[in-house]
Amino acid sequence: MKEKTFEKEKAFLSPYAKKSCESAGRAREETPCSMRTEFQRDRDRIIYSKSFLRLKNKTQVFFAPDGDHYITRLTHTLDVSQIARSISRCLSLNEDLAEAIALGHDLGHTPFGHVGERVLAKLSPDGFRHSEQSLRVVDVLEKDGRGLNLTLEVRDGILNHTKDGKPSTLEGAAVSLADRIAYINHDIEDAVRAGFLKAEELPARAVKAFGKTTRERINTAIGDIAEESEGKPYVKMSAERQAALDELRAFMFTHVYERTNKLIQESAERMLCRLYTYFTENPEQLPELYRAICGREGVSRAVCDYLSSMTDKYAINVFNRLFVPQEGIV
């Protein structure tokens, strides 16, 4: 079955695609699967990991929203996967590789979205970036410290999925673009739903370039990438549409990301700062996996690993257990 996949990839994929049989392999050698390619195995490992399951309770933009239809970190990840696969299909790239990268790209994200990332970046002596933490999750933290032992290509795509990253494969580049397309458009939906934004407030040039609805904007973006990149050794948007996307992203930062409930943002910052201080001063209270990291890599590294692994709900529960007086306890 796997050999049939290899033959199909050779016959139908672009010469610029990363074929499964060309993978640089894993850090630790393993017996190959008789049915699945290495990229398919990576996808499955990510889907069944604990860190992937926790994404459903991590904030994308709005904390604990009053409604069932807001985007979470998990639904964002699925959006990115779908868009990246669509781009890859248009350009005859390896969909399995793009899907695996997309599903793993945000595994290292903190609770409370980018607020949490900002807090840990400020507190940690080594800084903090969610892309680097996502790679650390699959390399070091998953499977009780054994990691997932993913292929080099998937690891590279996870690390380099941000706007300033330089992925080594076109599939990684497709995921990087898909990430921006997904979060900008679905964050617009959430902002309108929450009353932070009116659709008519969006920049006129961006609306003209991409369309008025989420469906139009995403379809236009994918079509533009396909037209610009077909048969080329790169994946990118046309200059005109890239400029419009950058304008839309800047607009969202000014009008949404920096305007969402300041009180809740400040509460989340105070909560994470307090937790960081507590566990830094009391590393013996960390779970066993993170206590072992203290001995190897230092207390700050272990505390960042632990806090970034938390869901929003778990972080709140730990904070309440440590700092909020419990009923019946004097």
Side-chain angles (χ1 to χ4, degrees):
M1 190 177 299
K2 184 172 66 175
E3 296 302 322
K4 288 182 180 178
T5 301
F6 288 163
E7 292 302 320
K8 288 179 182 177
E9 289 182 356
K10 290 177 182 177
F12 297 111
L13 291 189
S14 162
Y16 302 113
K18 176 60 70 172
K19 280 74 170 179
S20 300
C21 63
E22 298 172 351
S23 172
R26 307 175 187 279
R28 300 190 301 275
E29 190 173 343
E30 298 180 8
T31 302
C33 176
S34 61
M35 294 185 296
R36 296 169 297 164
T37 69
E38 297 308 309
F39 300 147
Q40 290 169 346
R41 294 178 80 188
D42 283 359
R43 175 199 60 204
D44 295 348
R45 290 180 186 192
I46 292 168
I47 287 174
Y48 290 108
S49 68
K50 291 179 180 178
S51 50
F52 184 80
L53 297 176
R54 288 196 294 267
L55 293 177
K56 67 178 180 291
N57 287 318
K58 288 194 175 188
T59 287
Q60 174 69 11
V61 174
F62 294 95
F63 305 149
D66 184 18
D68 295 330
H69 302 123
Y70 288 86
I71 296 293
T72 66
R73 191 63 60 182
L74 177 60
T75 50
H76 163 72
T77 294
L78 297 177
D79 287 337
V80 175
S81 175
Q82 180 60 36
I83 294 171
R85 287 184 60 200
S86 295
I87 294 171
S88 297
R89 191 177 306 119
C90 288
L91 298 176
S92 299
L93 301 178
N94 193 321
E95 288 186 50
D96 291 331
L97 173 55
E99 183 178 24
I101 295 169
L103 293 174
H105 83 283
D106 268 356
L107 293 179
H109 234 304
T110 59
F112 311 118
H114 288 285
V115 171
E117 183 173 17
R118 220 165 37 235
V119 169
L120 293 187
K122 180 175 64 175
L123 293 175
S124 171
D126 301 319
F128 185 93
R129 287 171 57 90
H130 79 271
S131 55
E132 295 172 357
Q133 189 66 20
S134 295
L135 181 62
R136 183 169 171 82
V137 167
V138 301
D139 279 355
V140 178
L141 301 179
E142 266 295 334
K143 297 293 183 182
D144 299 320
R146 299 188 303 275
L148 299 180
N149 196 30
L150 302 182
T151 58
L152 176 65
E153 292 80 10
V154 173
R155 294 176 62 252
D156 171 83
I158 289 172
L159 179 63
N160 289 286
H161 77 269
T162 55
K163 192 174 187 292
D164 59 350
K166 298 187 184 331
S168 64
T169 65
L170 296 196
E171 290 81 3
V175 171
S176 181
L177 272 173
D179 184 33
R180 272 166 276 155
I181 293 167
Y183 76 68
I184 290 171
N185 283 288
H186 289 105
D187 289 353
I188 288 172
E189 278 191 342
D190 278 358
V192 171
R193 184 180 290 115
F196 279 93
L197 183 67
K198 294 180 180 179
E200 54 268 27
E201 293 176 324
L202 294 173
R205 184 171 73 158
V207 172
K208 182 179 179 181
F210 288 107
K212 295 182 178 180
T213 68
T214 301
R215 177 179 178 274
E216 289 174 342
R217 289 191 293 268
I218 292 177
N219 284 346
T220 299
I222 293 172
D224 182 77
I225 293 167
E227 183 176 344
E228 183 72 16
S229 310
E230 177 66 33
K232 305 291 195 330
Y234 53 73
V235 177
K236 65 180 184 180
M237 279 186 177
S238 65
E240 177 187 356
R241 291 236 165 75
Q242 184 61 63
L245 187 69
D246 290 343
E247 181 181 3
L248 197 54
R249 183 175 181 270
F251 172 87
M252 290 296 291
F253 268 94
T254 302
H255 292 79
V256 177
Y257 303 143
E258 295 175 3
R259 283 179 52 200
T260 53
N261 197 315
K262 292 291 185 183
L263 180 61
I264 295 178
Q265 285 193 28
E266 291 168 2
S267 297
E269 289 179 9
R270 287 195 298 271
M271 185 183 305
L272 287 175
C273 286
R274 191 86 181 271
L275 289 172
Y276 180 90
T277 300
Y278 175 83
F279 285 112
T280 300
E281 295 175 350
N282 302 277
E284 71 279 359
Q285 297 299 318
L286 290 166
E288 181 180 356
L289 169 64
Y290 304 100
R291 292 200 303 272
I293 292 171
C294 284
R296 296 195 309 267
E297 302 179 62
V299 173
S300 179
R301 176 71 269 171
V303 173
C304 282
D305 285 342
Y306 182 42
L307 295 184
S308 63
S309 75
M310 293 180 175
T311 64
D312 298 13
K313 292 179 181 179
Y314 186 77
I316 292 169
N317 289 340
V318 172
F319 181 87
N320 287 340
R321 174 172 59 81
L322 293 174
F323 303 114
V324 178
Q326 303 298 306
E327 185 177 356
I329 300 177
V330 179

